[in-house]
Amino acid sequence: MKPKVSIILTSYNKPDTVHLAIESVLAQKYDNWELLIMDDHSNDKTKRIIKGFLQDSRIQYFDSGIRDEDRHKTTRYATLINEALEKVSGDYISYLTDDDIYLPERLSEMTTILNNSPSYGVVYSKQLVRKIDQSGRTVYEKVRETNGILTKPQNLVDHCSVMHRASLLPLILAKYGSYWDDSPEYWHNGDAAFWARLAEWSPFYPIPKVLDICLKTPDSFQELNAFMPKELPTGLVVLSTNENTFLIDGNIRRKIDEAVFRMLKYDRKQLVKVHDPLLYQYREGAPIEKSVFSNAKLFPNYRFIKCGKSIFYTEGGCARPIESADALRRLKADLKDFILVAPDMLEDFQIGKPISRTFDQKNPIPEGKLFLYKRHFFISGNGELKPMEAKVLRKLKYDKSLAIPLSKYEFASFPKGESLKWEVVRWKDKN
Ligand code: TYD
Ligand code: MG
């Protein structure tokens, strides 16, 4: 009897590539496998595609049903893999993501080596890495090489290039209490953390052939997360992977309805795509839809409004009068950015502190705006100026030319918040 391979496919909202991963399993020359599709509650489009493959009895499908607001709490693929490892029945274990393609000989090559070398616990192969753009065209390709027998495989071997014996799993569970470490700080390195555990029982033996193709897609977690700060600045307008738009307002996210997007002078070019585990950490607030034009309480913050000759900036649920032409010039607001509101609607607004041509405690800086002091950029929010790294500024699509310069006095008048910076926690050996 040929050994059985359990393949664990983790999936989340990759309708353009997930079928390639599944088809690549069905196209294997080696046929004794089971495929566990661990779907992290994908959108309907993705689910429909996956469900088209479920008639093959070797394929099992599980939907995590995760609530979006819980998504950030663990490294989701590690959590899903741990659930799958409770269900597998194979002799060998192999991991697959929804943007990776196994070459047809992957399982046969890997199982042959493991069958012939009983002392090998883990094998790994070369991988072709292919970056693709939104329309699936190749941007570049490179080969991730094998590097001999590895005793420290962390960060050297990809998630989808490994096969290991199932017999190692109870040893890992007994020592660590879990298989994969799903702590949320290791989204970038969850595989590295598990490879370190595996390597305690077996080195990684190389198979110097390309056996899978890793697609780097524009919406992948790492791509979206690159240069993204852990905290989103207030006033930012973002796009989810499901293509919904949201206003970030403090710790709240408000969905912006398509029908009012343009009426509220939002600009598609300014939208920043963010990954769902980050976006859904923000509590859901009242949606921004037609009703905002008849109820000042629902009107979004961080907009310019006008009524007759009076102009305002909305903030903290109030309308802050823009006192003079000088004040308007300082804000670098264009009159075409102003949203016309009816007089009875304006009456409905609470009037906030004025915005004048200089900022101080009585006339505080407007929130959700970009400021400049001595060539450093700051974002205002919560009464503070938060420094922002240049690469974060670019990632969030702020226009530097619209930054409002501050005088020394003004800069000194407001407390400084925590810096919005970009950080990745690398997996480190805890021992
Ligand atoms: P992916 O977006 O491909 O990230 P990377 O840039 O690191 O390649 O996601 C990696 C895996 O994580 C993929 O198999 C899908 C899974 N995943 C979830 O299960 N749940 C989620 O919420 C997210 C964002 C990803
Ligand atoms: Mg990926």
Side-chain angles (χ1 to χ4, degrees):
M1 194 45 192
K2 285 191 289 192
K4 179 167 163 185
V5 183
S6 297
I7 303 161
I8 300 172
L9 166 60
T10 45
S11 144
Y12 182 60
N13 285 6
K14 295 258 178 60
D16 299 332
T17 57
V18 66
H19 66 286
L20 299 173
I22 302 172
E23 281 161 1
S24 82
V25 174
L26 290 165
Q28 290 297 305
K29 292 182 178 148
Y30 191 85
D31 61 6
N32 194 18
W33 50 260
E34 62 174 354
L35 172 63
L36 283 79
I37 302 179
M38 307 303 291
D39 183 44
D40 208 19
H41 209 38
S42 287
N43 53 28
D44 290 343
K45 186 174 177 195
T46 307
K47 276 189 192 154
R48 252 196 316 278
I49 292 165
I50 294 174
K51 291 200 169 144
F53 291 98
L54 301 187
Q55 62 281 19
D56 191 306
S57 62
R58 295 170 294 181
I59 302 181
Q60 297 173 61
Y61 173 78
F62 302 92
D63 178 353
S64 74
I66 182 93
R67 296 185 328 154
D68 281 329
E69 49 272 44
D70 292 333
R71 230 171 247 297
H72 67 282
K73 292 183 177 163
T74 64
T75 293
R76 287 301 304 161
Y77 59 89
T79 303
L80 295 180
I81 288 171
N82 284 337
E83 284 166 19
L85 288 172
E86 296 289 338
K87 306 177 197 289
V88 293
S89 63
D91 307 286
Y92 302 147
I93 312 291
S94 182
Y95 304 98
L96 179 60
T97 57
D98 46 357
D99 49 8
D100 193 279
I101 301 164
Y102 283 175
L103 296 188
E105 55 282 2
R106 185 179 183 284
L107 298 189
S108 52
E109 293 274 353
M110 287 189 159
T111 52
T112 302
I113 308 271
L114 287 173
N115 294 344
N116 295 340
S117 317
S119 68
Y120 290 13
V122 188
V123 292
Y124 76 104
S125 65
K126 292 188 189 186
Q127 178 184 66
L128 183 70
V129 179
R130 178 181 295 158
K131 188 176 168 105
I132 58 175
D133 65 14
Q134 209 76 50
S135 47
R137 273 189 295 264
T138 301
V139 181
Y140 73 74
E141 282 189 343
K142 66 167 194 232
V143 173
R144 198 192 247 261
E145 301 287 342
T146 48
N147 288 294
I149 299 170
L150 299 173
T151 53
K152 284 194 173 5
Q154 300 87 286
N155 300 322
L156 295 175
V157 179
D158 186 67
H159 188 114
C160 297
S161 302
V162 165
M163 189 182 287
H164 67 80
R165 289 184 196 277
S167 57
L168 298 177
L169 291 169
L171 306 174
I172 293 175
L173 186 63
K175 177 159 179 189
Y176 290 100
S178 65
Y179 302 114
W180 284 55
D181 182 344
D182 68 356
S183 324
E185 64 268 32
Y186 299 130
W187 267 67
H188 286 266
N189 318 95
D191 49 6
F194 184 66
W195 299 165
R197 289 182 177 184
L198 271 179
E200 286 184 40
W201 282 276
S202 168
F204 283 42
Y205 290 91
I207 303 176
K209 292 179 186 167
V210 169
L211 294 180
D212 73 288
I213 303 169
C214 171
L215 302 173
K216 298 270 177 208
T217 58
D219 281 0
S220 88
F221 181 86
Q222 309 226 13
E223 198 67 33
L224 295 180
N225 197 46
F227 309 124
M228 187 66 80
K230 273 213 296 274
E231 181 202 335
L232 297 172
T234 200
L236 192 74
V237 182
V238 302
L239 192 64
S240 72
T241 59
N242 275 339
E243 307 279 326
N244 291 317
T245 49
F246 293 90
L247 169 68
I248 301 296
D249 189 1
N251 49 14
I252 285 177
R253 75 187 139 86
R254 294 184 66 187
K255 187 164 176 222
I256 307 170
D257 194 74
E258 285 251 350
V260 297
F261 189 86
R262 297 250 316 262
M263 292 161 77
L264 288 165
K265 311 281 180 178
Y266 291 117
D267 181 357
R268 293 231 138 240
K269 288 202 291 288
Q270 291 296 114
L271 288 174
V272 179
K273 205 161 204 179
V274 294
H275 58 86
D276 294 346
L278 174 61
L279 173 63
Y280 292 105
Q281 288 178 44
Y282 292 79
R283 268 189 299 121
E284 185 170 11
I288 298 173
E289 49 195 23
K290 280 244 162 69
S291 57
V292 306
F293 285 100
S294 51
N295 183 348
K297 285 196 183 61
L298 293 175
F299 201 87
N301 286 321
Y302 322 115
R303 299 286 82 195
F304 290 106
I305 57 174
K306 70 175 170 201
C307 182
K309 282 212 155 58
S310 314
I311 53 177
F312 303 85
Y313 182 66
T314 61
E315 181 190 305
C318 300
R320 295 185 62 186
I322 300 169
E323 277 195 334
S324 61
D326 280 348
L328 179 63
R329 251 192 303 281
R330 267 210 93 179
L331 293 176
K332 300 194 179 181
D334 200 319
L335 280 175
K336 72 167 175 19
D337 299 333
F338 280 78
I339 305 156
L340 200 63
V341 301
D344 51 342
M345 166 102 188
L346 186 65
E347 268 172 39
D348 217 20
F349 269 103
Q350 274 194 44
I351 300 301
K353 291 187 178 168
I355 298 178
S356 68
R357 57 193 281 257
T358 52
F359 306 127
D360 52 34
Q361 288 306 322
K362 244 177 53 214
N363 301 295
I365 43 170
E367 306 253 306
K369 286 265 158 215
L370 185 64
F371 292 90
L372 179 66
Y373 182 68
K374 288 197 167 167
R375 284 200 263 131
H376 296 288
F377 290 94
F378 299 83
I379 265 290
S380 54
N382 211 11
E384 298 175 326
L385 286 167
K386 297 171 206 251
M388 181 149 61
E389 280 186 357
K391 47 198 176 183
V392 171
L393 188 88
R394 266 195 304 278
K395 176 75 171 195
L396 300 182
K397 300 190 182 170
Y398 282 102
D399 183 345
K400 281 188 190 176
S401 71
L402 295 182
I404 305 166
L406 292 173
S407 70
K408 191 174 172 188
Y409 169 76
E410 289 174 322
F411 184 67
S413 305
F414 300 98
K416 312 300 172 291
E418 220 180 296
S419 169
L420 296 179
K421 54 180 193 246
W422 150 245
E423 262 175 339
V424 184
V425 183
R426 282 258 150 240
W427 187 87
K428 288 189 285 299
D429 220 318
K430 285 179 188 158
N431 307 319

